[in-house]
């Protein structure tokens, strides 16, 4: 998608033709089959291929939302209606200039919500059958025994421990929650993945070494590691955190709590494809997360959730340039050293009530993500 200052032309043009009736229709017998009704022109045009005729100049282009022609480098042109929109004015806002074609919200039409049966939800998330639960219970009992070992009587400052999420007890409601996530992922042509993915041609797993981190990494304690293992085991059984993915016309896909979430609860791991930061600096993906900050830029890794991901991809960011925006934050993004590898987790920073939308700071300590136009 080019901005208003470019003069790129469409690669192909296709037009829709209509045949006109030139004679009166003949009268049909009563026994004749019913006549097929014509579709509405609006329905035809909504699905028809389109082509935009380029103007000679775009110097007089105005934003269809605010009516201003200022900041032409931030004006996006819809490839269907040829209207202009500021990246900050369109809802949901556009953070980076898209690569390739771009359609405004009016031309995109409403979001089609796909429904999933129970079997399809189980297959979509790769939920493990109950035959594997015995191993998880044994490992959980072993973890409890390890925690009961005696410790020396030394006074230390009490460290806040991570808490496991508490799944919704009602199986039908859990399916509804998973269905909302499956619908959002399907609408964006994404695959579900609850772990980091290493693909050929991208960063190998051997590159993800916490020892290369240049600061900002926390070490996951033994107790917190047990909590994490418990969360992973629950997810494999289809017992996910109680969240609903909801589409908002202003913010896009968002995540809302479907039950009470306590402070310090593990919400989700940020997952996707792992790649080198150097390869992704010119990428237009708006869901790239820092995984490893190396002393040298060639060692830095990012998580790209543009092909695969989980519910963490849909959690909204705050406008960290305003006091009102900062008040919305109820979870944080933390990078941990887990068995020598870098992992990223979202953790609740306070109690989150049912129906409350989840927000965290996209920037953390780097302040490179443009959030000053966030709602």
């Amino acid at each position: 998608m080019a901005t208003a200052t470019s003069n790129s032309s469409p690669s192909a043009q296709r037009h829709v033709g209509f045949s006109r009736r030139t004679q009166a229709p003949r009268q049909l017998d009563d026994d004749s089959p019913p006549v097929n009704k014509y579709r509405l022109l609006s329905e035809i045009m909504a699905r028809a291929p389109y082509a935009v005729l380029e103007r000679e100049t775009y110097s007089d282009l105005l934003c269809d939302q605010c009516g201003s022609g200022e900041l032409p480098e931030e004006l996006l042109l819809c490839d269907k209606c040829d209207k202009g929109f500021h990246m900050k004015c369109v809802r949901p806002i556009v953070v980076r200039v898209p690569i390739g074609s771009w359609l405004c919200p009016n031309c995109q039409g409403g979001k089609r919500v796909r429904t999933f049966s129970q079997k399809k939800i189980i297959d979509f998330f790769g939920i493990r059958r109950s035959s594997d639960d015995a191993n998880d219970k044994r490992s959980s009992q072993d973890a409890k025994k390890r925690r009961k070992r005696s410790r020396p009587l030394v006074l230390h400052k009490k460290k806040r421990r991570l808490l496991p999420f508490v799944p919704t007890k009602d199986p039908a409601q859990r399916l509804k929650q998973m269905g909302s996530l499956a619908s959002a992922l399907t609408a964006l042509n994404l695959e579900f993945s609850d772990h980091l993915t290493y693909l050929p041609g991208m960063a190998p797993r051997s590159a993800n070494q916490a020892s290369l981190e240049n600061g900002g990494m926390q070490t996951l304690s033994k107790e917190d590691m047990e909590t994490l293992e418990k969360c992973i085991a629950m997810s494999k059984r289809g017992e996910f955190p109680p969240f609903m993915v909801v589409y908002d016309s202003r913010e896009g896909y968002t995540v809302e709590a479907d039950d009470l979430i306590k402070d310090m609860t593990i919400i989700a791991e940020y997952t996707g494809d792992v790649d080198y930061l150097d390869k992704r600096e010119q990428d237009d993906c708006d869901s790239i997360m820092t995984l490893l900050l190396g002393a040298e830029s060639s060692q830095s890794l990012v998580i790209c959730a543009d092909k695969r991901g989980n519910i963490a991809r849909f959690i909204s960011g705050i406008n960290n340039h305003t006091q009102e925006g900062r008040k919305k934050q109820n979870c944080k993004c933390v990078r941990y050293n887990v068995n020598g590898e870098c992992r990223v987790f979202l953790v609740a920073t306070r109690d989150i009530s049912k129906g409350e939308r989840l927000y965290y700071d996209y920037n953390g300590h780097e302040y490179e993500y443009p959030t000053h136009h966030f709602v």
Side-chain angles (χ1 to χ4, degrees):
M1 171 64 220
T3 56
T5 55
S6 66
N7 292 314
S8 59
S9 59
S11 57
Q13 294 187 359
R14 296 181 64 181
H15 300 274
V16 182
F18 301 94
S19 58
R20 180 180 297 175
R21 191 174 61 212
T22 57
Q23 57 183 354
R26 59 189 177 87
Q27 223 168 8
L28 300 176
D29 299 331
D30 294 339
D31 297 335
S32 302
V35 180
N36 292 330
K37 294 183 178 179
Y38 289 106
R39 286 186 298 170
L40 295 175
L41 180 61
S42 58
E43 294 179 2
I44 297 174
M45 296 305 295
R47 301 187 179 203
Y50 58 87
V52 176
L53 298 176
E54 293 286 330
R55 307 182 192 179
E56 292 183 1
T57 176
Y58 287 93
S59 59
D60 59 343
L61 185 69
L62 302 178
C63 175
D64 195 64
Q65 294 292 115
C66 69
S68 170
E70 297 180 356
L71 301 174
E73 68 279 3
E74 294 187 8
L75 273 172
L76 301 178
L77 295 175
C78 176
D79 286 323
K80 189 171 185 180
C81 67
D82 207 31
K83 293 180 181 179
F85 298 86
H86 279 122
M87 297 165 65
K88 66 179 180 181
C89 293
V90 71
R91 291 292 181 266
I93 71 167
V94 180
V95 179
R96 295 181 177 87
V97 177
I99 297 173
S101 62
W102 177 80
L103 300 180
C104 69
N106 291 333
C107 292
Q108 287 178 7
K111 293 288 180 181
R112 299 179 65 184
V113 179
R114 180 179 173 184
T115 57
F116 291 80
S117 64
Q118 178 176 346
K119 182 180 183 305
K120 286 185 176 180
I121 289 177
I122 292 174
D123 293 340
F124 187 90
F125 291 101
I127 296 173
R128 224 167 41 181
R129 302 305 185 217
S130 57
S131 58
D132 297 325
D133 290 350
N135 293 330
D136 294 332
K137 289 180 180 178
R138 280 197 296 269
S139 61
S140 177
Q141 290 171 355
D142 292 341
K144 289 180 180 178
K145 289 178 181 178
R146 288 197 297 269
R147 284 198 294 269
K148 289 180 180 179
R149 291 175 183 171
S150 60
R151 293 182 175 87
L153 296 175
V154 180
L155 294 177
H156 293 286
K157 184 178 179 180
K158 188 176 181 181
K159 183 181 178 182
R160 301 180 71 195
R161 290 176 52 182
L162 296 176
L163 300 177
F165 59 79
V166 180
T168 301
K169 293 182 179 179
D170 183 8
Q173 187 62 21
R174 285 209 305 267
L175 285 173
K176 187 177 179 181
Q177 294 163 0
M178 290 188 288
S180 70
L181 174 57
S183 297
L185 290 169
T186 305
L188 298 181
N189 296 318
L190 298 176
E191 295 179 14
F192 173 74
S193 177
D194 225 11
H195 54 81
L196 297 179
T197 308
Y198 300 90
L199 299 175
M202 301 174 71
R205 185 165 187 170
S206 58
N208 184 5
Q209 300 181 34
S211 58
L212 300 176
E213 172 65 29
N214 195 30
M217 181 76 62
Q218 297 187 31
T219 301
L220 203 62
S221 67
K222 193 173 293 185
E223 292 83 0
D224 290 341
M225 187 66 200
E226 293 170 359
T227 300
L228 175 61
E229 289 173 351
K230 181 179 179 181
C231 292
I232 293 173
M234 287 191 292
S235 297
K236 288 180 178 179
R237 296 194 300 266
E239 299 174 0
F240 291 97
F243 297 119
M244 294 288 292
V245 181
V246 181
Y247 185 79
D248 184 280
S249 60
R250 301 173 71 210
E251 299 185 40
Y253 285 104
T254 62
V255 177
E256 294 180 358
D258 201 34
D259 209 336
L260 174 66
I261 307 295
K262 292 187 177 181
D263 185 16
M264 293 299 292
T265 296
I266 295 178
I267 293 172
E269 179 177 3
Y270 200 96
T271 63
D273 300 335
V274 179
D275 204 354
Y276 290 105
L277 175 62
D278 290 347
K279 290 184 178 180
R280 295 283 182 154
E281 286 183 329
Q282 304 302 321
D283 202 308
D284 69 332
C285 174
D286 61 352
S287 300
I288 294 180
M289 173 69 70
T290 301
L291 177 64
L292 169 64
L293 284 175
E296 301 179 11
S297 60
S298 60
Q299 298 173 328
S300 297
L301 301 176
V302 291
I303 305 170
C304 310
D306 53 348
K307 299 289 190 301
R308 274 159 286 275
N310 59 7
I311 200 165
R313 188 201 186 282
F314 299 108
I315 298 179
S316 306
I318 64 168
N319 182 338
N320 53 19
H321 296 270
T322 66
Q323 185 65 27
E324 196 65 31
R326 289 190 288 269
K327 286 181 180 179
K328 291 183 178 181
Q329 183 171 353
N330 50 21
C331 53
K332 63 180 178 180
C333 186
V334 187
R335 292 186 299 136
Y336 283 107
N337 177 348
V338 182
N339 297 326
E341 292 185 342
C342 303
R343 306 270 288 275
V344 180
F345 295 94
L346 288 160
V347 180
T349 56
R350 59 173 174 82
D351 288 353
I352 304 173
S353 57
K354 181 178 180 179
E356 186 177 350
R357 190 165 291 177
L358 272 63
Y359 290 94
Y360 72 101
D361 191 346
Y362 280 4
N363 283 294
H365 62 278
E366 295 166 3
Y367 293 97
E368 292 183 357
Y369 199 97
T371 65
H372 50 290
H373 295 311
F374 277 20
V375 178

